Amino acid sequence: MENRKRNVHLHVMVTPDELAAIHERMAEAGISNAGAYVRKMALNGYILHIDLAPVKELISLQRRCSNNLNQVAVHAHTHGVYPEEIDGLKRDYEKLWGEVSKVLRELSELVAK
């Protein structure tokens, strides 16, 4: 044990109900290692588990908008720009900013709690 970074053993007794609650909270936090969970909770007092699904959707929308903008730029340099392409880009950006606003609103509500 001398070569280990964490070489001091800490033993904690809990009831079966407490252990079940600990395992439930570990699952909610997405942590499967009980030692890591207990250490994190003891040192920091809390663990934030954030659902990043809305952010992944934003990234997808941003990639599509960037791809569309690149395609329009290439087309503009070779053939000129069509108004329909500009309107499509505007719709994509409106959708993107609507999603950004929604995520920011949800985050502000979480912080306010």
Side-chain angles (χ1 to χ4, degrees):
M1 275 181 93
E2 297 91 31
N3 295 332
R4 295 180 66 146
K5 180 179 178 181
R6 294 182 178 96
N7 59 3
V8 177
H9 181 79
L10 176 65
H11 183 79
V12 179
M13 299 294 289
V14 294
T15 67
D17 290 340
E18 290 171 332
L19 182 60
I22 289 169
H23 284 289
E24 185 177 317
R25 290 190 180 131
M26 284 173 53
E28 288 172 1
I31 298 173
S32 59
N33 183 314
Y37 176 78
V38 171
R39 187 170 39 256
K40 184 78 172 164
M41 291 300 292
L43 293 173
N44 298 328
Y46 59 90
I47 296 175
L48 293 177
H49 180 69
I50 301 172
D51 179 16
L52 296 178
V55 175
K56 289 178 183 177
E57 175 65 19
L58 290 177
I59 291 168
S60 174
L61 288 170
Q62 181 63 38
R63 283 186 182 136
R64 284 191 297 213
C65 287
S66 297
N67 186 43
N68 291 345
L69 183 59
N70 187 45
Q71 288 176 2
V72 169
V74 168
H75 192 272
H77 287 295
T78 56
H79 305 291
V81 180
Y82 295 112
E84 303 85 40
E85 293 172 328
I86 300 297
D87 291 340
L89 286 172
K90 286 180 181 177
R91 282 191 303 274
D92 287 346
Y93 279 113
E94 286 173 8
K95 184 176 180 184
L96 175 64
W97 283 111
E99 291 295 320
V100 168
S101 297
K102 187 171 106 177
V103 169
L104 291 175
R105 212 172 15 259
E106 290 173 3
L107 287 173
S108 69
E109 290 170 3
L110 283 174
V111 171
K113 289 181 182 180

